[in-house]
């Protein structure tokens, strides 16, 4: 005999409820495992980024920190360390560009200045020097 709830018997409704609880438990377990594994991936990426920063490979550190900020966009601490990596990369590229200018190698200097501006677009010295090199006004640096 059919019940008034759309033709489902009480036994069928109980079976659906058990199934729903089982699915919910599985989803919760899957979410917890995903979060735990995601945390492991974040830890590994964080370790790689810290190692790259320590070794002076700032562009690589930027890539790792950007990956972390995509996964954890609301954790502002990653924005802070990403900005620091960008600043250090810009300073590193700026130093290499100045050495290139001192050697008279404008092409290498222009490339490094472009990298500095990409790494840290707000760096005033890198932007100004790149503009001078691209317009040909950097002859004072070249020997």
């Amino acid at each position: 005999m059919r019940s008034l709830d759309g033709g489902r018997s009480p036994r069928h409704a109980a079976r659906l409820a058990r199934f729903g609880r089982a699915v919910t438990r599985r989803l919760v377990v899957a979410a917890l495992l995903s979060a735990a594994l995601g945390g492991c991936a974040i830890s590994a990426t964080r370790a790689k980024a810290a190692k790259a920063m320590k070794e002076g490979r700032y562009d690589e550190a930027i890539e790792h920190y950007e990956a972390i900020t995509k996964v954890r966009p609301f954790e502002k601490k990653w924005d802070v360390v990403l900005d620091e990596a960008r600043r250090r990369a810009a300073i590193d590229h700026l130093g290499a560009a100045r050495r290139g200018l001192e050697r008279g190698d404008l092409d290498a200097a222009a490339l490094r200045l472009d990298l500095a501006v990409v790494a840290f677009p707000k760096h005033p010295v890198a932007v100004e020097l790149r503009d001078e090199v691209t317009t040909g006004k950097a002859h004072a640096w070249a020997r």
Side-chain angles (χ1 to χ4, degrees):
M1 180 172 204
R2 291 185 164 240
S3 65
L4 296 175
D5 66 349
R8 296 188 181 120
S9 68
R11 202 169 123 194
H12 183 71
R15 194 193 266 165
L16 276 177
R18 279 194 313 273
F19 177 74
R21 285 190 300 270
V23 168
T24 302
R25 275 193 302 267
R26 286 183 183 144
L27 288 174
V28 168
V29 168
L32 289 173
L33 282 174
S34 174
L37 292 177
C40 291
I42 294 292
S43 295
T45 304
R46 184 189 71 217
K48 288 177 187 176
K51 184 177 180 185
M53 285 286 285
K54 188 176 181 180
E55 295 174 356
R57 295 178 286 125
Y58 304 117
D59 293 322
E60 184 180 332
I62 289 170
E63 290 177 15
H64 292 305
Y65 285 130
E66 283 177 341
I68 292 172
T69 58
K70 287 179 184 173
V71 175
R72 304 257 172 106
F74 300 111
E75 292 184 22
K76 296 302 176 193
K77 65 182 178 183
W78 301 118
D79 291 335
V80 172
V81 293
L82 176 59
D83 284 345
E84 179 64 18
R86 288 179 187 275
R87 187 184 67 76
R88 288 185 186 185
I91 290 169
D92 188 47
H93 290 304
L94 186 58
R98 285 188 172 167
R99 288 189 297 277
L101 287 172
E102 289 170 355
R103 287 190 317 267
D105 190 356
L106 293 179
D107 291 333
L111 174 66
R112 294 304 286 247
L113 287 168
D114 285 339
L115 291 172
V117 172
V118 166
F120 197 75
K122 296 180 250 176
H123 196 287
V125 175
V127 172
E128 181 181 346
L129 194 53
R130 182 192 63 176
D131 292 342
E132 288 179 8
V133 167
T134 56
T135 59
K137 296 178 184 174
H139 60 286
W141 282 93
R143 290 185 183 177

